[in-house]
Amino acid sequence: MNPLIIEGKEKTPFFKLMPSGELSFGGTSIPEDAATFYFPIIDWFSDYYRTPGEETQIQISFKYLNSASSSMIHKIMHMLGRLQETGKTTISCQWYYEFEDTDMLDFAKSMQDLAPEIKFTFQAKSD
């Protein structure tokens, strides 16, 4: 399994997905076609599900997600929640959000509700 590294751009987020279990992603996600953009990412997570690292550490720091991107992140977190249930890996997620962005914090907490087996921590940041 190979790493997947996608550089963030003006309308698309960065992803750094390492087979060892170090996963980070974030930025702005308003791609023209979210399904096409996220397909290789979902595919990578499907492969990771079969052979995860012993520990999976996720760092997420989105500034903005449109509704189509939110749906894709929902799919990823659902998949990770199912992975945690298998006992193949221990997953923790550090979710960073802008200090005054309560909508992003609410979204992050909804992901925690979706995958309660994952240990989430939330941290406000200010630029």
Side-chain angles (χ1 to χ4, degrees), residues 4-5 9 18 22 29 32 34 51 57 88 101 112 115 121 124:
L4 178 63
I5 299 174
K9 296 185 179 164
M18 307 303 288
E22 295 175 32
S29 187
E32 302 238 352
T51 57
Q57 299 174 343
K88 293 179 185 178
D101 191 353
Q112 180 181 33
T121 53

Side-chain angles (χ1 to χ4, degrees), residues 20 25 28 47 49 61-63 71 82-83 85 115 125:
S20 62
F25 44 98
T28 298
D47 288 344
Y49 188 93
S61 57
F62 281 108
K63 290 183 179 183
S71 176
R82 286 188 9 241
L83 175 58
E85 291 172 357
K125 62 181 183 175

Side-chain angles (χ1 to χ4, degrees), residues 38-83:
Y38 278 93
F39 178 79
I41 297 160
I42 300 287
D43 194 43
W44 189 93
F45 276 102
S46 293
D47 288 344
Y48 185 75
Y49 188 93
R50 288 189 280 280
T51 57
E54 189 175 316
E55 290 185 18
T56 301
Q57 299 174 343
I58 309 164
Q59 291 189 5
I60 301 173
S61 57
F62 281 108
K63 290 183 179 183
Y64 182 79
L65 291 163
N66 65 9
S67 59
S69 297
S70 296
S71 176
M72 295 297 154
I73 298 303
H74 183 275
K75 287 180 183 187
I76 291 168
M77 296 310 294
H78 179 72
M79 188 180 299
L80 288 167
R82 286 188 9 241
L83 175 58

